[in-house]
Amino acid sequence: MQTVKDIFLDQKKIFLRAGFDVPIEAGEILEKGRILAGIPTLKYLLQKKCRIILAFHIGRPEGKCVPALGVGPVCAELSRILKMPIRQAPGCVDSASQRLAQGLRPGGILVLENLRFYRGEEENDLVFAQKLRLGAQVFVQDAFSVLHRAHASVVALPQFCQQSKKAEVVAGLLVEREANFLRAAQERPAHPAVVVIGGAKTETKIPVIKNLLRQGFDRALVGGVVANNFLAILGRDLQDSLVDQDHLAVTKALWQEFPGQIIVPQDSLWNIQKQIYDIGPQTIEHYTKIIRKAKTIVWNGPLGVFEQAPFAQGTQKIAEAILAARARNVVGGGDTVMALQKFKLYDQFDFVSTGGGVMLEFLAGKELPGLKILES
Ligand code: ADP
Ligand code: MG
């Protein structure tokens, strides 16, 4: 994979696709992690005196202009962090924005409006992508969190750049780092290698367990609704607990493919509606023992309903156990990251992915369209 470090950049015009999709409420950014993660690439390009067209999306405006999802707050934050004025374009491909892109000076940044205000973005539209290039000589992909999406700024634009030879296509520093970390954990895990999977979305988690065990991981520890599915196929009485009925068959097939390697909770905490809401103390102890011996730990998904204090224990204790282990750890998932922030443990992990869905698809062994282009 070629990165910004491999090519000549001095004073070139760059199209930088960043992953600055942060939660914004009433003009205020609630969580800046994704912006901070993208700063090294921006600084690198500024050092090379590049003329930078910066583009990203916020939220799901679904092809319409939604003022509350405008890029203004992110622009202001970037300006604060980089200590420089930053121009904001009125749109992405309109003539006024084109003129601003043309007029960029070395070391200048022009931020385009939310890419998803245009239907062409999510439709991966080639005509939109061609206009979006805005005369850039280099396309830099630094939005790891969208590499699983076939969208114009992820697939059509870099593909057009490559095929037309109008611009070079390279990865930014964040994409390089995330892809390397996840690849190393998956393909060359130090043993024992343990994957911890919790959370609610069974259909996205089962493939991760399957792929990592097939890649040679030694054990999978499960919690959350994912664990309920395993307990259900084992015939346990789950009363009114959430079970993903549509994925019981794949759960059973997985259980049979890896006898003894998938570890399920021995005890659970229940809420008053007779639902399992967390793993119990014996399970915490058992999982902690396995985690303590691990050399590689991949973790996604809270082990219980951590949003409610009485059911946060399981997730917090497992997070602490992972930190205490002398293992390379890789952590990700939207809600998992929220849990870590709640416990104030976020900064202590080796690697926390900025992508939720994309990390799961990567670890499930699926091909990511946006990454494939960078590797071709
Ligand atoms: P991530 O975003 O980290 O990938 P998910 O989106 O799959 O994780 O799941 C997170 C959600 O799962 C949390 O909101 C949490 O409350 C919920 N959850 C965890 N355990 C249970 C459980 N036993 N029953 C119901 N919901 C659960
Ligand atoms: Mg989630």
Side-chain angles (χ1 to χ4, degrees):
M1 186 164 67
Q2 272 214 328
T3 77
V4 284
K5 288 180 290 184
D6 299 318
I7 60 169
F8 183 78
L9 287 170
D10 287 14
Q11 303 214 3
K12 282 194 175 161
K13 186 172 286 183
I14 313 288
F15 185 98
L16 172 61
R17 191 354 171 155
F20 296 157
D21 177 21
V22 288
I24 297 176
E25 236 176 64
E28 206 178 314
I29 302 172
L30 302 179
E31 215 289 297
K32 295 172 185 165
R34 283 186 168 178
I35 297 179
L36 298 177
I39 294 298
T41 301
L42 263 174
K43 283 194 170 159
Y44 186 84
L45 298 175
L46 286 171
Q47 227 180 0
K48 302 281 175 196
K49 293 266 173 283
C50 292
R51 293 169 286 159
I52 305 166
I53 301 161
L54 174 58
F56 50 94
H57 79 275
I58 297 174
R60 296 173 181 267
E62 298 189 333
K64 291 186 293 281
C65 174
V66 178
L69 295 176
V71 297
V74 177
C75 251
E77 182 62 25
L78 286 170
S79 181
R80 243 191 315 275
I81 295 172
L82 297 169
K83 300 187 180 73
M84 60 182 274
I86 288 172
R87 260 327 257 280
Q88 194 185 322
C92 292
V93 293
D94 57 292
S95 54
S97 302
Q98 281 172 15
R99 267 196 306 279
L100 286 169
Q102 245 159 32
L104 263 169
R105 307 202 172 241
I109 300 177
L110 175 70
V111 175
L112 302 184
E113 194 38 279
N114 191 338
L115 286 164
R116 291 194 187 167
F117 284 1
Y118 294 82
R119 279 181 41 204
E121 168 65 0
E122 291 190 73
E123 287 172 359
N124 198 24
D125 184 69
L126 179 61
V127 177
F128 174 67
Q130 287 172 343
K131 285 192 203 153
L132 191 59
R133 186 175 70 87
L134 295 164
Q137 301 156 284
V138 180
F139 172 91
V140 177
Q141 179 57 272
D142 210 29
F144 186 75
S145 51
V146 295
L147 292 183
H148 58 319
R149 307 274 187 216
H151 292 174
S153 66
V154 185
V155 172
L157 173 56
Q159 218 160 42
F160 167 68
C161 290
Q162 280 174 338
Q163 284 164 3
S164 65
K165 300 203 161 58
K166 285 190 190 296
E168 290 178 272
V169 172
V170 294
L173 301 173
L174 178 66
V175 160
E176 182 194 27
R177 181 177 134 81
E178 297 227 21
N180 283 347
F181 243 100
L182 289 175
R183 188 163 285 130
Q186 182 183 178
E187 292 172 4
R188 302 180 293 278
H191 293 277
V194 175
V195 53
V196 181
I197 295 284
K201 287 184 242 151
T202 325
E203 74 275 19
T204 61
K205 317 272 173 154
I206 296 278
V208 174
I209 301 176
K210 189 195 286 179
N211 182 52
L212 292 182
L213 290 178
R214 283 184 179 169
Q215 296 264 0
F217 268 56
D218 302 284
R219 283 216 156 63
L221 311 178
V222 295
V225 180
V226 181
N228 292 352
N229 261 42
F230 284 99
L231 295 171
I233 60 149
L234 294 172
R236 305 282 171 80
D237 180 13
L238 300 179
Q239 305 213 46
D240 293 330
S241 303
L242 279 181
V243 172
D244 184 349
Q245 300 288 345
D246 297 337
H247 294 87
L248 284 177
V250 290
T251 307
K252 190 162 186 184
L254 187 61
W255 179 260
Q256 287 167 342
E257 186 178 343
F258 299 101
Q261 285 182 264
I262 302 167
I263 317 294
V264 301
Q266 309 164 322
D267 58 344
S268 308
L269 298 189
W270 299 72
N271 66 5
I272 46 169
Q273 280 91 30
K274 298 193 187 140
Q275 294 174 311
I276 293 180
Y277 252 39
D278 199 6
I279 54 174
Q282 279 173 28
T283 305
I284 293 176
E285 201 182 311
H286 185 208
Y287 284 10
T288 300
K289 274 192 190 140
I290 296 171
I291 288 168
R292 194 181 296 145
K293 296 198 195 97
K295 290 280 181 293
T296 305
I297 302 166
V298 171
W299 175 29
N300 163 267
L303 292 123
V305 182
F306 72 94
E307 295 93 337
Q308 299 179 25
F311 306 106
Q313 273 283 335
T315 306
Q316 177 156 4
K317 292 281 181 217
I318 294 305
E320 287 166 0
I322 293 172
L323 285 173
R326 270 190 283 173
R328 168 198 276 266
N329 63 61
V330 167
V331 179
D335 294 283
T336 309
V337 166
M338 273 200 291
L340 294 183
Q341 270 156 350
K342 188 172 164 174
F343 307 144
K344 304 212 179 338
L345 296 173
Y346 181 90
D347 296 328
Q348 296 182 39
F349 283 83
D350 298 339
F351 175 78
V352 182
S353 179
T354 57
V358 68
M359 168 174 156
L360 290 171
E361 290 201 14
F362 190 107
L363 292 174
K366 288 198 198 153
E367 191 175 82
L368 309 180
L371 192 59
K372 191 178 166 206
I373 288 168
L374 300 175
E375 283 168 339
S376 66

